[in-house]
């Protein structure tokens, strides 16, 4: 069981309690769910910002700078790095030791990196839980860094209120494909490493992709909650958010104030258009479905015996039965057994 006092101390903003509680919940032991249930009424206050993009585009460097900029505006900041290779460890950002000390010595900043133990689906769940805990502890802005390569990372980024997609000039063709997928979830586009050649070309190609996107009605993410579906009406300035493109040099902190301004503008846009409810709904739905599937799976697997399942798997690989029928049979059998 997780002691009630640990939850109380987390809620009153004690950092050590917060770190300890996160570890306990991450291990998903006895009481993790109970702790999250107690914290839940205290969540929903933080503005959650996802930062994603191809490997090495400068996300961590940017996050570092954004945190400093937000602190200078008196916001408290939680940082979550969802990536085993991310250069945060134990609250440290490698390669940038001076500012690292600035960050980790500041009581208004809390840094956590997510160990990627278990499945990727587990990572998405664990990240959602950690966001809630840091939110309940009272941090006003939560920055979540993910490497935008896989479905899980995109899923994590999608559950943020504001998603930053970080690009950099001179990336290869394989990266272009990632880029196209990430464009749809971007609320703010960053062209980092603007000190390098080709930054203006990158900006131009993003402009073109945005022009294409804004003509397709399915980019609903950038409309207010009650925005009409018709593209002509939806593109009026009041109900359509066109992702700004901002050039930054994260290593020098150039452009980071503009990025924070854009985050604030997007938060205002979401509040004014009711978009925030749409995000909350989407997030609740994703989470609900994920936990439903997980719990049902566990429950069914517990009801059936291990040997039954092994026998069934062998029939599947012997082509005696197909996987759809196998699942259907299992469900039917368990239903009957439950009723009996
Ligand atoms: N020239 C230049 N280099 C930069 C800039 N921003 C970051 N870098 C460098 O790019 C490298 C990668 O930066 P990170 O911040 O670790 O990038 P990342 O996107 O977090 O990387 P992963 O988490 O591994 O995907 C580092 O060597 C940074 O110093 C920039 O604006 N200009
Ligand atoms: Mg990183």
């Amino acid at each position: 069981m997780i002691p009630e006092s640990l939850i109380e101390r987390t809620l009153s903003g004690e950092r050590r309690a917060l770190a300890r509680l996160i570890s306990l919940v991450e291990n998903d032991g006895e009481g993790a769910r109970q702790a999250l249930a107690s914290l839940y009424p205290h969540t929903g206050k933080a503005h959650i910002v996802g930062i994603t993009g191809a490997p090495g585009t400068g996300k961590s460097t940017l996050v570092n700078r954004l945190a400093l900029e937000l602190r200078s505006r008196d916001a408290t900041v939680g940082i979550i790095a969802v990536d085993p290779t991310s250069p945060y460890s134990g609250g440290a950002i490698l390669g940038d030791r001076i500012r690292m000390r600035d960050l980790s010595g500041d009581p208004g900043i809390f840094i956590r990196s997510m160990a990627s133990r278990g499945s990727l689906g587990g990572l998405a769940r664990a990240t959602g839980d950690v966001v809630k805990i840091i939110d309940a502890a009272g941090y006003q802005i939560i920055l979540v860094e993910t490497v935008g390569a896989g479905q899980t990372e995109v899923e994590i980024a999608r559950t943020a209120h504001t998603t930053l997609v970080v690009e950099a000039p001179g990336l290869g063709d394989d990266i272009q494909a990632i880029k196209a997928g990430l464009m749809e979830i971007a609320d703010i586009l960053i062209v980092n490493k603007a000190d390098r050649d080709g930054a203006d070309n990158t900006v131009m190609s993003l402009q073109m992709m945005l022009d294409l996107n804004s003509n397709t009605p399915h980019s609903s993410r950038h409309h207010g909650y009650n925005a009409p579906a018709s593209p002509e009406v939806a593109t009026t300035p009041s109900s359509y958010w066109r992702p700004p493109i901002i050039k930054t040099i994260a290593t020098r902190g150039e452009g980071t104030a503009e990025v924070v301004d854009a985050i604030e503008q997007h938060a205002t846009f979401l509040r004014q258009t009711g978009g925030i409810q749409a995000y909350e709904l989407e997030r609740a739905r994703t989470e609900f479905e994920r936990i439903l599937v997980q719990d049902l799976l566990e429950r069914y697997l517990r009801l059936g015996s291990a040997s039954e399942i092994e026998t069934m798997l062998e029939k599947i690989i012997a082509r005696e039965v197909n996987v759809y029928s196998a699942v259907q049979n299992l469900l039917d059998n368990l239903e009957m057994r439950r009723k009996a």
Side-chain angles (χ1 to χ4, degrees), residues 17-329:
L18 170 59
R20 170 119 186 86
L21 184 59
I22 290 174
S23 299
L24 290 173
V25 169
E26 264 188 335
N27 292 334
D28 201 25
E30 191 74 14
R33 283 191 174 203
Q34 190 51 50
L36 287 166
S38 313
L39 290 176
Y40 191 67
H42 304 276
T43 63
K45 298 187 195 93
H47 189 76
I48 301 159
V49 180
I51 297 98
T52 191
T57 48
K59 297 177 295 297
S60 300
T61 314
L62 184 72
V63 163
N64 193 355
R65 289 294 189 167
L66 293 177
L68 290 172
E69 177 66 27
L70 286 161
R71 289 301 293 138
S72 77
R73 301 184 188 194
D74 283 332
T76 53
V77 184
I79 300 176
I80 304 173
V82 190
D83 177 11
T85 66
S86 175
Y88 300 85
S89 64
I93 300 172
L94 303 177
D96 215 344
R97 295 179 183 280
I98 295 164
R99 280 201 316 272
M100 164 194 96
R101 234 179 285 131
D102 287 354
L103 286 189
S104 58
D106 178 346
I109 291 188
F110 182 85
I111 303 177
R112 183 77 185 196
S113 75
M114 302 289 301
S116 75
R117 72 174 82 82
S119 67
L120 282 174
L123 189 60
R125 178 189 58 76
T127 305
D129 289 346
V130 173
V131 166
K132 286 201 198 80
I133 300 171
I134 296 177
D135 181 357
Y139 289 84
Q140 291 162 320
I141 310 274
I142 302 178
L143 307 173
V144 185
E145 179 192 338
T146 61
V147 177
Q151 189 53 45
T152 301
E153 291 79 1
V154 171
E155 186 183 330
I156 293 169
R158 197 191 283 279
T159 54
H161 296 117
T162 301
T163 300
L164 274 53
V165 171
V166 184
E167 309 280 352
L171 299 175
D173 285 347
D174 46 337
I175 301 296
Q176 301 301 323
I178 298 181
K179 211 155 105 171
L182 290 178
M183 286 290 286
E184 279 201 22
I185 62 168
D187 298 305
I188 299 170
L189 285 157
I190 312 284
V191 176
N192 189 41
K193 306 196 184 184
D195 53 327
R196 295 230 175 129
D197 287 345
D200 288 327
N201 284 342
T202 307
V203 170
M204 262 162 44
S205 79
L206 291 176
Q207 294 277 16
M208 272 162 55
M209 287 170 97
L210 277 185
D211 290 340
L212 291 175
N213 265 4
S214 63
N215 292 330
T216 51
H218 71 263
S219 56
S220 60
R221 186 177 166 94
H222 300 129
H223 298 284
Y225 187 34
N226 294 314
S230 146
E232 308 87 77
V233 187
T235 45
T236 55
S238 60
S239 65
Y240 176 70
W241 174 266
R242 183 180 166 105
I245 303 173
I246 302 173
K247 284 201 283 186
T248 59
I249 305 174
T251 38
R252 295 187 217 144
E254 283 177 34
T256 41
E258 285 92 318
V259 177
V260 171
D261 289 344
I263 293 170
E264 286 174 357
Q265 281 155 15
H266 187 247
T268 305
F269 169 83
L270 289 181
R271 270 195 307 275
Q272 287 174 350
T273 57
I276 214 103
Q277 287 98 303
Y279 282 6
E280 294 292 325
L281 256 183
E282 188 176 330
R283 185 162 51 184
R285 190 188 313 281
T286 307
E287 200 170 30
F288 180 81
E289 287 175 1
R290 182 165 57 224
I291 291 168
L292 178 67
V293 168
Q294 183 188 321
D295 282 14
L296 281 178
L297 183 67
E298 272 169 23
R299 190 172 297 190
Y300 273 115
L301 291 181
R302 237 183 298 130
L303 281 170
S305 74
S307 66
E308 260 179 310
I309 290 170
E310 289 310 311
T311 311
M312 188 187 63
L313 294 178
E314 274 164 23
K315 282 186 183 160
I316 292 172
I317 57 174
R319 271 54 185 182
E320 285 169 28
V321 65
N322 69 73
V323 73
Y324 298 104
S325 310
V327 169
Q328 194 56 52
N329 286 342

